[in-house]
Amino acid sequence: MFTTSRIASLAASRLPFLASRAISSGAGSYSHMVVNAVGSDRPGIVADLTKIITEGGGNIGDSRSQRLGSHFSVMMLVSTPSSDFKTISNSLQQLNGVETLVYETSDPETIEVFTEVGCKFLSLSDISKK
């Protein structure tokens, strides 16, 4: 039986780049969202989006933006207090002149550990039974 500390120790020894990442139990006070917004390019789009996020207590962890023709597109990974997730999401989607989609996602700092090791191979007879 592996404990969380044993898994962390194994991860750190086998994959050094994972050593700085936390193993999360999935419980916490933060929710995470991917925000994808597109609108006609104009000054202040990023400021409008970030104002809604930061005033709602959110944090932008990563973002990518691009001007595409006469439009501007931005995608952001945002963490928010769980209690404010819906408020921030709704405010982003109501921003004038910008089409915004919000997707709830998992904590990007979570390491998923699978307890089953190995592969199951199916024979042709197994497949034909399905």
Side-chain angles (χ1 to χ4, degrees), residues 5-19 23 111 113:
S5 61
R6 177 70 177 134
I7 292 169
S9 173
L10 286 171
S13 67
R14 303 248 192 265
L15 303 169
F17 67 92
L18 293 178
I23 293 182
I111 298 173
V113 178

Side-chain angles (χ1 to χ4, degrees), residues 15 36 41 50 95:
L15 303 169
N36 189 358
D41 192 21
T50 56
L95 188 59

Side-chain angles (χ1 to χ4, degrees), residues 27-71:
S29 60
Y30 281 86
S31 294
H32 305 276
M33 65 174 78
V34 173
V35 176
N36 189 358
V38 178
S40 293
D41 192 21
R42 64 171 173 76
I45 292 177
V46 174
D48 292 346
L49 292 165
T50 56
K51 181 178 179 182
I52 290 169
I53 293 165
T54 57
E55 285 183 356
N59 183 50
I60 301 168
D62 196 7
S63 68
R64 301 286 185 269
S65 60
Q66 184 72 42
R67 184 166 184 237
L68 302 165
S70 62
H71 284 74

